Amino acid sequence: SENHGFALSNPNFEYWLLLHFEDGKGIASAQECLTRLKKHLPNYKKDIDGKKITLELIAKAISRAKLRDTNRSGDLPQIWSTTVYKLVEKILGHI
């Protein structure tokens, strides 16, 4: 069995975090992504309180990421999409 994984978020990891709270549509820049994320996590500064991310939010983020991932056959996400959900699903499958 494989013990590794690879995931990307385009354009940034914050997009994956944003999908825990909303659908992530209509974002025009990385700064706008961060601004919208801070509506949900006002004190976000590249770290996050693990208590704020529940299994329910993770499930919502996975679902939203799958809807945004129009290139599911590859590992490289299109703009404003993420493949982090693939890695998270693997991790969840092992716990």
Side-chain angles (χ1 to χ4, degrees):
S1 105
E2 295 181 11
N3 290 329
H4 63 279
F6 179 75
L8 291 173
S9 277
N10 191 356
N12 54 25
F13 184 73
E14 284 75 14
Y15 187 71
W16 163 247
L17 296 177
L18 181 65
L19 292 180
H20 287 72
F21 305 100
E22 62 171 86
D23 65 16
K25 292 181 182 175
I27 295 174
S29 69
Q31 181 57 48
E32 184 177 353
C33 179
L34 183 59
T35 298
R36 282 177 49 182
L37 177 61
K38 285 187 173 190
K39 288 180 183 178
H40 305 286
L41 299 171
N43 298 320
Y44 178 76
K45 290 184 179 112
K46 295 284 182 188
D47 61 345
I48 189 166
D49 179 355
K51 295 177 201 145
K52 303 238 184 231
I53 302 295
T54 64
L55 285 175
E56 181 181 352
L57 288 176
I58 291 169
K60 287 180 181 179
I62 289 171
S63 177
R64 290 171 179 145
K66 284 180 177 179
L67 289 173
R68 304 287 296 163
D69 186 8
T70 58
N71 183 31
R72 288 197 193 172
S73 61
D75 287 328
L76 298 176
Q78 303 298 311
I79 190 82
W80 301 114
S81 105
T82 181
T83 60
V84 173
Y85 75 91
K86 294 178 182 181
L87 182 58
V88 173
E89 283 184 320
K90 282 185 179 183
I91 292 168
L92 291 175
H94 290 286
I95 56 172

